[in-house]
Amino acid sequence: MSTPTPTVVLVHGAFADAASWSGVIEELQGDGIPVIAPPNPLRGLASDAAYVASVAAQIDGPVILVGHSYGGALITVAGTKENVVGLVYVAAYALDEGESLGELQGRYPLSPLVSNLKQWTYPVAGGDPAVEVTIAEDAFPSVFAADVPAEVTKVLAAAQRPLAAAAFDETASAAAWQTKPSWALVAAADNAINPEVERFGAKRAGATIVEVEGASHAVAVSQPKAVADLIREAVRATS
């Protein structure tokens, strides 16, 4: 008896929104694969992962979680939900239980992203303002989307969603890849996450790994077919 086709849930990362998945969504919909791309709150690892987990839990049938960048850390935690049958990391952090983004990054030379973050603040009910970060607009093309046309990159830079700075120090409460199959796309020319960080996390997770030469951090925008192909592989393997 064949199981139903999993619903693909696309989780965007920092400095982006769900529209960054548009090309990937078009590819998957063309194959009749059910897909949704919910908004990622970008307020903290535990709360964002809980949100992603709640989205997954409300879907009937099996789910494949796909995380880009910081979204990878979220699917690592949210993927413990019973109906999640696979994880796909796209230029992403695959954390271990008890590990933070800062710790995983700190094992390797820092990417150009780190020195090009701009700090903002946002109000927190009943407390002091908290810090959030975006990428400096002049650095955004080279750091985030070097292989995306300039006119598109300008729009992406203006529409960035900031990430709460506290997210870098929060630790993952679980690592779903320990019990669920995983796939990973390494963006070989990534200037936002050191590709070595992506490779290390993917290998540790026992993921099926694909490397895309010349791909920037915005590989879902620049090469949606390559991203969709890996997701299709995950869908086939879990159907």
Side-chain angles (χ1 to χ4, degrees), residues 58-76:
Q58 292 173 71
I59 293 170
D60 286 333
V63 166
I64 287 176
L65 291 178
V66 181
H68 174 246
S69 188
Y70 165 68
L74 304 186
I75 69 169
T76 297

Side-chain angles (χ1 to χ4, degrees), residues 23-223:
V24 176
I25 292 168
E26 197 175 342
E27 287 271 345
L28 297 176
Q29 286 179 339
D31 282 348
I33 295 169
V35 56
I36 62 166
N40 176 354
L42 301 176
R43 295 294 78 165
L45 186 52
S47 61
D48 294 343
Y51 177 75
V52 172
S54 77
V55 171
Q58 292 173 71
I59 293 170
D60 286 333
V63 166
I64 287 176
L65 291 178
V66 181
H68 174 246
S69 188
Y70 165 68
L74 304 186
I75 69 169
T76 297
V77 177
T80 56
K81 278 287 170 210
E82 205 173 313
N83 65 327
V84 174
V85 294
L87 309 167
V88 181
Y89 294 92
V90 178
Y93 295 103
L95 296 181
D96 199 355
E97 188 174 343
E99 187 175 55
S100 70
L101 296 173
E103 270 178 82
L104 177 53
Q105 280 193 154
R107 296 176 178 206
Y108 295 93
L110 294 176
S111 72
L113 170 76
V114 180
S115 57
N116 285 290
L117 290 175
K118 183 178 176 184
Q119 290 199 355
W120 308 72
T121 61
Y122 64 98
V124 178
D128 294 329
V131 176
E132 61 183 12
V133 290
T134 58
I135 301 171
E137 278 200 41
D138 59 344
F140 188 91
S142 64
V143 168
F144 199 86
D147 58 349
V148 176
E151 62 276 13
V152 177
T153 310
K154 281 179 77 169
V155 175
L156 295 177
Q160 289 182 68
R161 299 250 335 263
L163 174 67
F168 290 104
D169 299 319
E170 272 189 73
T171 57
S173 59
W177 48 258
Q178 291 175 355
T179 55
K180 312 271 171 103
S182 60
W183 290 258
L185 183 150
V186 174
D190 200 328
N191 284 325
I193 300 176
N194 184 333
E196 289 295 337
V197 172
E198 298 170 21
R199 284 186 198 105
F200 171 81
K203 281 180 186 160
R204 181 173 62 182
T208 300
I209 302 170
V210 171
E211 289 234 5
V212 182
E213 293 303 321
S216 77
H217 194 58
V219 62
V221 177
S222 62
Q223 302 202 41

